[in-house]
Amino acid sequence: HKAVVNARHGPSPWIVVGVVVVVLFAGAVGFGIYRAHQAAAIVVPPNATATGVPIGKSDAPATIDIYLDFQCPVCRAYEQAAGPTVDQLVAAGAARVIYHPVAYLDRSSSTRYSSRSSAASACAAAAGVFVPYLKLLYANQPPENGDGLPEQTLIDLGHQAGAQGDFATCVSDNTYARWTAAVTDAASRQNVTGTPPVLVNGKQIGNTADALRAAVPEAG
């Protein structure tokens, strides 16, 4: 009779609590394994970091961070206006630049061009031709709300920039897609909500060559 009464009242509350704890623990472990797997799956290209592509001497007195999207017309305009100044500062050892090719404007093309071009630029970084590739991507920037550049054009521009080896396979396989996502997520965590913000030693400056020269120590 007691057994029937206990059955009608349901399992012991301690048993319920134990089951809940086990389920929560299993869920936490599973989520931890998932996050660890996701992090391990991000392949960082040679000559890059998990958040961008550094160019220039690591001991330069100034660090310029440029957040860019290859689909962004304003980014293209900034490169045309200030790119030569960036190149001069890097060549003189006055600054190093870290390019962060984010993918915020996938909605502005029918083929997620922001993500595809960023991943292709990672292939260019691996091939040691990131900067000339960047300039070619801007020179051939497709219009917004179109298809974006096709894969073969991304490959051809890489070869034009001097990429060799397995560059074509890297682009075709979208090898660095997860890297692009990681760079974009990292920028979002830094409260970068659009492009192209430019920072010198962590402080945002105006998007002009004059602002860049004024902000970089030893710019001359």
Side-chain angles (χ1 to χ4, degrees):
H1 177 71
K2 288 183 179 180
V4 173
V5 171
N6 287 339
R8 288 178 179 176
H9 281 77
S12 165
W14 292 110
I15 295 176
V16 173
V17 170
V19 171
V20 170
V21 169
V22 170
V23 170
L24 290 176
F25 177 76
V29 171
F31 181 72
I33 293 173
Y34 169 78
R35 289 295 297 272
H37 174 74
Q38 291 295 95
I42 297 171
V43 179
V44 177
N47 306 314
T49 71
T51 60
V53 180
I55 304 292
K57 297 179 180 179
S58 60
D59 61 351
T63 296
I64 304 167
D65 287 279
I66 300 177
Y67 293 85
L68 59 103
D69 189 312
F70 290 114
Q71 181 71 83
C72 165
V74 180
C75 299
R76 178 176 181 266
Y78 180 78
E79 167 58 29
Q80 291 175 332
T85 300
V86 173
D87 297 342
Q88 291 166 7
L89 292 172
V90 170
R96 74 165 180 162
V97 58
I98 303 176
Y99 292 100
H100 306 269
V102 299
Y104 287 157
L105 296 176
D106 275 342
R107 65 184 182 280
S108 295
S109 78
S110 60
T111 63
R112 302 184 71 249
Y113 178 70
S114 290
S115 288
R116 292 193 300 110
S117 55
S118 173
S121 77
C123 297
V129 296
F130 179 85
V131 172
Y133 191 61
L134 172 148
K135 295 180 184 299
L136 285 170
L137 286 179
Y138 280 138
N140 294 273
Q141 187 181 69
E144 291 185 286
N145 302 313
D147 293 337
L149 298 180
E151 177 183 294
Q152 188 58 52
T153 301
L154 291 174
I155 292 171
D156 291 343
L157 291 176
H159 290 156
Q160 186 177 335
Q164 300 177 357
D166 62 354
F167 176 80
T169 301
C170 180
V171 174
S172 295
D173 291 349
N174 210 17
T175 300
Y176 296 116
R178 288 186 181 274
W179 178 82
T180 287
V183 170
T184 304
D185 288 344
S188 296
R189 289 195 296 271
Q190 293 296 319
N191 296 318
V192 175
T193 58
T195 51
V198 179
L199 292 77
V200 174
N201 292 337
K203 182 179 179 180
Q204 187 165 348
I205 64 170
N207 286 7
T208 66
D210 287 343
L212 191 58
R213 282 189 289 267
V216 175
E218 303 179 18

